[in-house]
Amino acid sequence: MSDRVAIDFDDTLADYMGLYRLAASFSSCKEIYPDDIKSWEWPIQYGHERFIWFTKFIHTKENILYLKPHEAADIAWIYRKFWTHIGEVFIISHQYSDEAEEAIKLWCQYYLRTDLLECPLNVFIVKRREDKVKKALELNCNIIIDDNVNTCWEAVQAGLVATLIRRPWVRQLPFVADSDKLIIVDSLYAAFKQLYKRRLMSRDVE
């Protein structure tokens, strides 16, 4: 049985750090570095109105297309190998813009080279972060890859295998990280490698 995997877009596939720093400079905030980001709500310290502007800015079509991928040199190869050997991939992203779905599809076509692969490009947008796991369950996914601690913990509680990518803001876990359904890694490549190993082990059992 093939796995069905939900992958986050923001800071899992796409690297938002450059865009965060650009938005901060435009909105007269201080210069932003990775260690400054300690939670997903970090821009709120600059006031509610600026936070709303900041959130809308980083989710426009133009700025999504501006993003570079994490691990750019290998991302198309990783995606191809992963899809070929493990299962079907669904990109589920928490976005505020109605144009985000089209932008993410264009981004994936360029960086993942999905037009060269015999695999569908499945992109789904949710308006609330809390709905990501719900959407993954609706799509019958059994694995989720994300850089958000809360999303991964909600996925584990829902019975999914969660792979948490340790970004600068992933610091203290609000739960005991010894679940056999939680995998913690330092890169997207390591996430795919662990899931590939898990897939091989499951085949041996079968």
Side-chain angles (χ1 to χ4, degrees):
M1 178 178 173
S2 295
D3 289 316
R4 294 169 67 86
V5 185
I7 302 180
D8 174 48
F9 181 76
D10 298 27
D11 274 313
T12 298
L13 283 174
D15 186 352
Y16 270 73
M17 186 54 63
L19 189 56
Y20 292 154
R21 297 180 72 176
L22 181 64
S25 65
F26 283 172
S27 59
S28 301
C29 302
K30 69 174 184 177
E31 190 170 5
I32 299 298
Y33 295 93
D35 285 344
D36 295 325
I37 304 177
K38 297 180 174 61
S39 78
W40 285 104
E41 292 77 28
W42 62 272
I44 199 68
Q45 63 186 296
Y46 303 117
H48 182 72
E49 289 186 6
R50 189 170 290 176
F51 174 68
I52 295 299
W53 176 90
F54 189 98
T55 302
K56 289 181 177 179
F57 177 84
I58 65 173
H59 290 101
T60 63
K61 179 179 178 179
E62 293 77 11
N63 285 328
I64 289 173
L65 294 175
Y66 163 86
L67 299 168
K68 303 299 183 186
H70 280 288
E71 303 162 75
D74 297 323
I75 193 166
W77 177 85
I78 290 171
Y79 188 85
R80 181 184 295 108
K81 185 175 180 65
F82 177 71
W83 182 86
T84 301
H85 293 284
I86 298 182
E88 193 165 2
V89 173
F90 302 86
I91 297 170
I92 303 178
S93 180
H94 170 213
Q95 299 282 340
Y96 296 90
S97 168
D98 292 334
E99 58 189 11
E101 182 176 349
E102 179 188 359
I104 292 174
K105 284 183 177 179
L106 290 171
W107 188 96
C108 290
Q109 287 169 359
Y110 181 78
Y111 284 110
L112 303 182
R113 302 174 193 167
T114 51
D115 56 325
L116 303 179
L117 308 179
E118 295 179 1
C119 64
L121 180 58
N122 304 303
V123 175
F124 297 89
I125 304 299
V126 295
K127 296 296 185 181
R128 301 189 314 149
R129 185 205 59 79
E130 294 83 357
D131 291 333
K132 291 173 75 173
V133 172
K134 184 187 300 184
K135 175 57 71 174
L137 291 171
E138 289 175 3
L139 295 168
N140 294 317
C141 293
N142 61 319
I143 297 171
I144 193 165
I145 302 175
D146 209 297
D147 64 313
N148 187 292
V149 171
N150 293 325
T151 297
C152 286
W153 180 233
E154 290 162 10
V156 168
Q157 290 181 310
L160 303 178
V161 173
T163 300
L164 174 64
I165 299 182
R166 197 189 300 272
R167 299 298 187 206
W169 42 87
V170 177
R171 296 168 186 270
Q172 293 184 339
L173 302 180
F175 50 85
V176 179
D178 62 356
S179 170
D180 60 356
K181 289 186 175 296
L182 178 66
I183 302 168
I184 303 175
V185 296
D186 292 322
S187 69
L188 187 61
Y189 177 81
F192 289 157
K193 187 175 179 180
Q194 286 294 324
L195 293 178
Y196 182 52
K197 183 188 297 184
R198 175 183 175 277
R199 181 62 183 157
L200 292 178
M201 292 174 63
S202 68
R203 285 177 179 171
D204 290 341
V205 171
E206 292 172 2

